[in-house]
Amino acid sequence: MTDWKNKSLAHWEMINRMAVRRFGGSACAEEAALFVVDGLAANDWRRVRNHDGRASFKGYLASLTWRLLEE
């Protein structure tokens, strides 16, 4: 069984960098990164569990992160 939480949080630095790129080095970027993690964790990591292996996990997670940052 995959531990989606730990697998996702292992990429925290990437999530944080993407939030800073989108919102600058402000408190908004930190809040956005936390929003992304909350979004990923929603419904027992449903979005992350949908990874089907056609893309790398990091690439898939980056795509999810970008979509959540745009919300």
Side-chain angles (χ1 to χ4, degrees):
M1 186 167 153
T2 303
D3 183 357
W4 296 111
K5 178 182 179 180
N6 285 333
K7 191 170 183 175
S8 299
L9 293 179
H11 297 284
W12 169 252
E13 286 187 34
M14 178 193 69
I15 294 168
N16 199 42
R17 274 194 319 270
M18 290 177 73
V20 168
R21 187 177 315 138
R22 174 65 179 84
F23 294 100
S26 66
C28 286
E30 187 174 328
E31 288 179 35
L34 294 174
F35 175 82
V36 167
V37 172
D38 288 343
L40 295 173
N43 297 317
D44 193 31
W45 301 89
R46 180 187 53 81
R47 286 180 175 102
V48 179
R49 286 186 289 124
N50 285 334
H51 179 246
D52 60 10
R54 288 187 290 169
S56 70
F57 182 74
K58 185 176 182 178
Y60 180 73
L61 193 64
S63 177
L64 290 176
T65 298
W66 193 253
R67 284 190 229 143
L68 286 165
L69 287 171
E70 290 302 312
E71 283 185 16

